[in-house]
């Protein structure tokens, strides 16, 4: 019996022409074919000799064992009532104001955003007027029972709730919601990769992912199958490395698509595994999928208790590319109302929302409307002045994400 593997293929060179037609059409489509960038994911059960054979297929860009994934567990701060009351009094959440979305002339209009998470509560008032295209890749059905995906989506494009603005880009009217994590917050790379492929085919210009690879879960799964712990750890490390290479290959294909189409920005949470309050020896680097080539890794910022600027959240992993508000973030609660959560999961949708604002800015300018143009503006306009003195660049990236 073989193991389950994710197989990433590039279908841009696959011909569907009849014997009397050209296999490669002229014009921009030919450029797309030559550049590559039509990802297709399949999951196969392969024995060792079959694995070697399939890796030699010229269409195959990468092969990796299926690994478990999990939502990046947010921190409940127990201050929902106080936080929501403060947000209502200010008319907008502190995160919306910190990134400058409350004074931006852009709203994310005509931008398609994808959220790959635990689904969404489509009946929440925060999503009134938004066309939600939902697909389940978790096996637990569409909709959000966990609440994580609803909270993240609310920060990206939620409408005002009870007078409180929670969304960075409330002008978004079309959202692609891929449920890649089940109701208990668990998933695997098969669902995540299929969700990414689907989101790209839906025309998503921004893909937001507040989730991570479950390395300890992979080790435990192997131990449960009878592997000794040291061998299970080694095998999990091999699987992690293979999946990093697979995601790198996928992101190269996403970049190749941008040569002949608008392309997409992929934003992911850096992770919450650090314990900075215990000292520098307790800092952990960005994890997958945020660690993959071309993914915008997001760190979390908090308001300083002394009021001297924003500081890095104690849980935020190091070496992000950019940072955003991630502590005491008020957004949509499943079933209605608002709730306050903390985590790089909460910082990531701020960046995704600002990316939507920059997409609109670029689309309404004489500039080419491409993901590379949007990324350049997203990174170059990040600010360091709102940060407290002494915040290390390794911990906050280029700085606080800012709206046009």
């Amino acid at each position: 019996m073989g193991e389950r593997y994710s197989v990433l293929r590039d279908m841009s060179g696959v011909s569907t022409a009849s014997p009397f037609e050209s296999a490669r059409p002229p014009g921009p489509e030919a450029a797309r074919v030559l550049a590559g960038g039509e990802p297709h994911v399949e999951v196969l059960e392969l024995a060792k000799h079959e694995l070697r054979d399939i890796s030699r297929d010229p269409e195959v860009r990468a092969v990796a064992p299926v690994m478990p994934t999990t939502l990046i567990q947010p921190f409940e701060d127990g201050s929902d009532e106080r936080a929501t009351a403060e947000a209502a009094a200010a008319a907008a959440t502190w995160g919306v104001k910190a990134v400058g979305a409350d004074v931006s002339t852009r709203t994310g209009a005509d931008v398609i955003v994808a959220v790959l998470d635990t689904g969404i509560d489509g009946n929440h008032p925060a999503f009134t007027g938004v066309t939600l295209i939902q697909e389940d890749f978790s096996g637990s059905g569409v909709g959000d029972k966990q609440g994580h995906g609803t909270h993240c989506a609310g920060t990206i494009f939620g409408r005002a709730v009870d007078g409180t603005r929670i969304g960075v880009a409330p002008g978004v009217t079309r959202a692609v919601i891929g449920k890649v994590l089940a109701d208990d917050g668990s998933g695997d790379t098969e669902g995540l990769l299929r969700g990414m492929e689907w989101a790209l085919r839906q025309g998503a210009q921004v893909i937001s992912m507040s989730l991570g690879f479950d390395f300890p879960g992979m080790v435990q799964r192997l131990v449960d199958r009878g592997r000794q712990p040291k061998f299970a750890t080694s095998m999990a490390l091999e699987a992690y490395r293979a999946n990093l290479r697979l995601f790198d290959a996928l992101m190269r294909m996403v970049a190749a698509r941008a040569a002949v189409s608008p392309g997409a920005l992929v934003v992911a949470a850096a992770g919450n595994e650090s314990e900075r309050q215990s000292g520098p020896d307790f800092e952990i680097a960005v994890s997958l999928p945020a660690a993959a080539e071309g993914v915008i890794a997001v760190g979390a910022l908090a308001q300083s208790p002394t009021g001297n600027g924003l500081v890095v959240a104690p849980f935020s992993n190091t070496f992000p590319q950019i940072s955003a508000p991630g502590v005491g973030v008020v957004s949509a609660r499943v079933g209605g109302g608002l709730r306050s959560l903390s985590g790089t999961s909460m910082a990531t949708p701020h960046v995704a929302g600002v990316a939507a604002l920059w997409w609109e800015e670029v689309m309404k300018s004489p500039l080419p409307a491409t993901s590379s143009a949007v990324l350049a503006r997203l990174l170059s306009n990040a600010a360091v002045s709102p940060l407290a003195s002494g915040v290390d660049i390794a911990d906050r990236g280029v700085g606080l994400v800012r709206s046009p």
Side-chain angles (χ1 to χ4, degrees):
M1 183 176 177
E3 297 287 337
R4 292 173 67 240
Y5 288 86
S6 298
V7 179
L8 176 66
R9 295 180 182 272
D10 183 355
M11 305 303 290
S12 58
V14 176
S15 173
T16 57
S18 74
F20 302 104
E21 294 176 323
S22 170
R24 292 197 170 183
E29 182 67 12
R32 183 188 67 77
V33 168
L34 291 172
E38 191 64 32
H40 173 67
V41 178
E42 58 186 354
V43 173
L44 303 173
E45 194 170 284
L46 301 171
K48 188 178 294 185
H49 69 280
E50 294 172 314
L51 179 63
R52 185 185 303 110
D53 291 341
I54 201 166
S55 65
R56 293 171 177 168
D57 188 327
E59 292 175 5
V60 172
R61 294 293 175 264
V63 182
V66 172
M67 279 192 72
T69 57
T70 183
L71 63 81
I72 295 179
Q73 192 66 44
F75 297 92
E76 299 269 4
D77 53 28
S79 58
D80 282 8
E81 292 184 5
R82 175 184 58 79
T84 53
E86 290 176 356
T93 65
W94 83 268
V96 167
K97 292 190 291 184
V99 302
D102 59 325
V103 294
S104 177
T105 58
R106 303 306 182 191
T107 66
D110 301 319
V111 180
I112 301 174
V113 176
V115 185
L116 304 183
D117 211 289
T118 62
I120 193 170
D121 178 2
N123 295 320
H124 197 291
F127 309 121
T128 301
V130 184
T131 299
L132 300 174
I133 304 163
Q134 301 188 60
E135 190 72 32
D136 175 42
F137 300 94
S138 70
S140 57
V142 296
D144 184 13
K145 294 181 180 179
Q146 205 283 334
H148 192 266
T150 296
H151 195 279
C152 291
T155 299
I156 301 174
F157 54 81
R159 277 59 175 149
V161 178
D162 298 329
T164 301
R165 177 173 172 178
I166 62 172
V168 172
V172 170
T173 57
R174 186 176 179 86
V176 177
I177 309 297
K179 186 170 181 177
V180 299
L181 297 173
D183 294 332
D184 63 356
S186 68
D188 59 31
T189 49
E190 175 184 356
L192 176 57
L193 289 165
R194 291 192 189 281
M196 291 183 70
E197 177 190 357
W198 173 75
L200 291 168
R201 293 186 185 279
Q202 293 294 324
Q205 294 155 281
V206 181
I207 299 177
S208 182
M209 305 186 295
S210 291
L211 47 80
F213 280 33
D214 187 6
F215 184 86
M218 178 75 167
V219 174
Q220 187 60 52
R221 188 168 70 181
L222 291 168
V223 169
D224 291 343
R225 292 179 182 175
R227 303 282 186 178
Q228 294 182 19
K230 66 177 181 179
F231 291 111
T233 302
S234 179
M235 293 173 68
L237 180 60
E238 182 181 341
Y240 189 90
R241 182 177 60 205
N243 274 278
L244 173 59
R245 289 173 176 167
L246 186 147
F247 268 81
D248 284 345
L250 175 60
M251 291 306 300
R252 285 194 290 271
M253 294 170 69
V254 171
R257 288 167 62 95
V260 291
S261 66
L265 295 184
V266 181
V267 186
N272 296 347
E273 292 82 17
S274 293
E275 297 179 9
R276 296 173 180 276
Q277 70 276 13
S278 300
D281 290 340
F282 295 84
E283 296 175 8
I284 295 175
V286 171
S287 56
L288 272 174
E293 174 186 335
V295 176
I296 304 169
V298 181
L301 298 173
Q303 300 176 87
S304 170
T306 60
N308 294 328
L310 302 179
V311 296
V312 177
F315 51 77
S316 185
N317 286 353
T318 197
F319 300 119
Q321 193 169 8
I322 200 166
S323 293
V327 175
V329 175
V330 175
S331 188
R333 178 200 294 272
V334 165
L338 301 171
R339 70 186 301 201
S340 175
L341 292 174
S342 301
T344 54
S345 284
M346 285 61 253
T348 299
H350 282 91
V351 175
V354 172
L357 303 185
W358 279 110
W359 263 111
E360 182 189 0
E361 175 79 7
V362 170
M363 290 192 298
K364 293 184 177 179
S365 76
L367 297 168
T370 64
S371 56
S372 57
V374 175
L375 177 61
R377 279 145 191 82
L378 182 78
L379 298 179
S380 64
N381 282 278
V384 295
S385 57
L387 304 178
S389 61
V391 174
D392 197 313
I393 186 172
D395 297 325
R396 48 81 169 171
V398 294
L400 170 67
V401 69
R402 292 287 294 175
S403 307

